[in-house]
Amino acid sequence: MTIAETSRDEVIERARRYVTGGEFAAELAPRVAIPSESPREDSGPDQLRYLDALRPGLEAMGFSVRVLDNPVLPRLPALFAARIEDEALPTVLTYGHGDVLWGMGGDWRDGRDPWVLDDTGERLYGRGTVDNKGQHTINLAALRCVLEARGRLGFNIKLLIEMGEESGSPGLDEMAQANRDLLAADVLIASDGPRTATHTPTVFLGARGGMGFHLVADEREGAYHSGNWGGLLVNPGIRLAHALATITDAKGRLAIREWTPGAIPANVRAALADIVLEKDASDPAIDPEWGEPGLSGPEQVFGWCNFEVLAYTCGRPEAPVNAVPGSARATCQLRYVVGVDRERILPALREHLDAHGFRDIRIEPMKRGFFKATRTDPDNDWVRLVVGSIEQTTAKAPALLPNLGGSLPNEVFAETLGMPTVWVPHSHRACGQHAPDEHMLLSIAEEAAAMMAGIFYDIGTR
């Protein structure tokens, strides 16, 4: 065994001990204790408190640290840190978010407090343990393990921690545009989201986009007695239901072909061929006939687009009366992949509805912004490096997803900052993120720390 191989093994073992020896839980507990709920309008002090808590550890690692003001929503700032060893070396940007969704105190099993880390020996419970405090805590610890073992990284590292991801990352793109030189890097390597299966290391290269909107059938003011007016007045609930029925067929296949990529690229299809979606005992049964015909489950979720009706209201559902209502409203969403023109999503819908005789159905875009679809080429050299490093560390071939099924602010890095993006998630599909009982599996945390230490070690020796 060569000296370099021995050194790599030592770094990876050091990273494993960080988790198995309890240091990870000890470091994560005070971070979970900060109730950094970004949707809460008075959360500004907690957001700053979280960023301040990161500063000492980063400065001890040789990072220069500063807080970036958010020009869109000032209570949700971001932290930027950099350790520049040599301007001639490659520069890696890593990212995380310290904000969380609602704690949902009182809804957790066994009386758990969402702001108190509960270590069962197999799981770490608490809000943010996987989304995303635990994930970026692991990555920062992996960097520290390399530094402690070698005294240097062998590359430059920049860090961006935002505090608004759970609220749609308001202001993140504006911060990136205003700080392009500050954030410039050769690649983004970060962690968020779940693996495809608990024991399968996973790499994904972007995210599906999301476009939300309302469809409204607004026929008249007020409601009219159905005994006197039924059969004479257009029922907006029926009208809207028929409009919705033109968007997909009865099995969910999209009828607006501009809402699809047309075909899944060959290298994307190849990357998805070996993906297996892990099913938890509590997961619903999958309908194999739903969606685009001829696509596998992974192709449906990661390679194609889907339309969802998220809510539908007509009249007063909480207190129905015998009257023809005046209006009906559906809240809708399109999840889409690279290959769909975002700017054509709503115009194509307008044209489709008009062509089917529904000029009266109004389209209202959602006020909240949604993320764009992005995807790094699976054949990118950085992708190959990360995948190869994970395989060397774990002796497992990682699942390579062209993009996550959900959404992330990846367009900030892929488009605004113009760099390839490689994500290595450290959670699992049944982790409870955004719900009571959110938890990190210690087995995943140990493997994740080893993988990230291996990746950072390998970047420094490439």
Side-chain angles (χ1 to χ4, degrees):
M1 183 176 290
T2 67
I3 294 175
E5 289 171 337
T6 303
S7 180
R8 186 183 195 276
D9 289 344
E10 289 173 352
V11 170
I12 289 170
E13 180 57 29
R14 182 187 295 258
R16 290 187 183 277
R17 289 197 305 269
Y18 165 75
V19 176
T20 59
E23 190 179 353
F24 173 50
E27 193 166 33
L28 184 58
R31 297 177 183 181
V32 168
I34 299 172
S36 51
E37 302 157 301
S38 60
R40 180 165 49 85
E41 293 188 0
D42 64 349
S43 68
D46 290 317
Q47 311 303 336
L48 277 174
R49 190 152 61 98
Y50 187 82
L51 297 183
D52 288 340
L54 296 179
R55 182 184 291 269
L58 291 168
E59 290 178 339
M61 291 166 62
F63 282 84
S64 60
V65 183
R66 59 185 285 190
V67 172
L68 302 180
D69 294 331
N70 188 324
V72 174
L73 201 55
R75 66 179 174 83
L76 303 177
L79 178 144
F80 172 78
R83 176 189 164 92
I84 306 300
E85 294 187 356
D86 187 330
E87 295 289 353
L89 292 173
T91 298
V92 174
L93 175 65
T94 190
Y95 159 90
H97 65 90
D99 68 310
V100 295
L101 277 180
W102 303 104
M104 302 180 186
D107 293 338
W108 292 53
R109 292 193 196 108
D110 302 323
R112 290 189 178 96
D113 184 331
W115 312 118
V116 176
L117 192 76
D118 184 356
D119 184 353
T120 70
E122 297 178 349
R123 301 180 177 192
L124 296 177
Y125 285 92
R127 179 60 81 229
T129 49
V130 292
D131 194 15
N132 173 258
K133 295 176 181 180
Q135 299 211 39
H136 65 252
T137 294
I138 287 171
N139 290 0
L140 293 176
L143 285 166
R144 188 167 65 240
C145 288
V146 175
L147 277 170
E148 289 172 350
R150 303 174 72 183
R152 60 183 178 83
L153 293 175
F155 61 93
N156 304 316
I157 183 74
K158 296 180 179 181
L159 167 70
L160 181 66
I161 300 288
E162 70 156 318
M163 300 304 293
E165 195 271 349
E166 300 293 7
S167 295
S169 295
L172 183 64
D173 192 60
E174 288 80 0
M175 284 187 277
Q177 291 183 41
N179 295 280
R180 289 179 189 273
D181 292 340
L182 196 68
L183 296 170
D186 295 293
V187 65
L188 172 85
I189 298 177
S191 300
D192 203 350
R195 295 175 164 196
T196 60
T198 301
H199 301 295
T200 302
T202 300
V203 175
F204 66 87
L205 308 179
R208 285 203 295 181
M211 174 70 79
F213 54 91
H214 307 284
L215 291 181
V216 183
D218 202 359
E219 298 296 335
R220 67 191 70 83
E221 290 287 337
Y224 291 82
H225 193 288
S226 58
N228 299 329
W229 293 94
L232 300 176
L233 300 179
V234 172
N235 186 299
I238 295 174
R239 186 72 177 156
L240 182 56
H242 280 273
L244 287 167
T246 71
I247 296 175
T248 76
D249 67 12
K251 290 292 186 179
R253 181 178 188 267
L254 288 167
I256 305 174
R257 301 317 282 175
E258 281 191 74
W259 281 13
T260 78
I264 300 177
N267 60 351
V268 173
R269 188 180 289 271
L272 294 174
D274 296 326
I275 300 298
V276 176
L277 297 178
E278 183 177 66
K279 188 177 184 301
D280 188 77
S282 61
D283 289 343
I286 294 173
D287 185 345
E289 296 184 0
W290 188 261
E292 184 72 11
L295 298 186
S296 68
E299 288 170 341
Q300 296 277 13
V301 176
F302 306 117
W304 206 249
C305 312
N306 60 279
F307 170 70
E308 304 295 342
V309 178
L310 306 179
Y312 191 108
T313 56
C314 178
R316 298 180 61 190
E318 73 283 4
V321 296
N322 296 322
V324 181
S327 64
R329 184 182 187 88
T331 300
C332 306
Q333 180 190 66
L334 178 70
R335 293 278 188 180
Y336 67 97
V337 295
V338 170
V340 174
D341 183 351
R342 176 183 174 86
E343 302 305 318
R344 282 288 302 161
I345 291 174
L346 294 186
L349 174 60
R350 179 74 274 161
E351 294 163 11
H352 173 86
L353 292 174
D354 290 353
H356 284 77
F358 292 101
R359 293 180 181 274
D360 54 314
I361 301 298
R362 189 167 73 251
I363 302 170
E364 294 181 356
M366 283 187 182
K367 293 181 180 178
R368 179 186 173 190
F370 282 82
F371 301 132
K372 296 179 182 178
T374 53
R375 178 189 292 150
T376 294
D377 190 325
D379 296 322
N380 180 275
D381 286 343
W382 283 101
V383 177
R384 294 181 186 277
L385 184 152
V386 170
V387 168
S389 177
I390 291 173
E391 189 162 2
Q392 182 180 353
T393 299
T394 66
K396 303 176 186 176
L400 178 60
L401 297 179
N403 48 259
L404 191 66
S407 298
L408 287 169
N410 198 56
E411 76 272 15
V412 173
F413 310 107
E415 296 186 3
T416 302
L417 297 175
M419 63 184 70
T421 57
V422 185
W423 296 80
V424 185
H426 305 328
S427 67
H428 62 296
R429 290 167 64 84
C431 66
Q433 68 182 94
H434 296 184
D437 304 310
E438 179 181 349
H439 62 276
M440 168 73 77
L441 293 180
L442 267 296
S443 59
I444 290 182
E446 179 186 349
E447 187 172 64
M451 290 190 313
M452 298 309 296
I455 290 168
F456 293 138
Y457 183 93
D458 291 342
I459 293 172
T461 57
R462 68 198 295 260

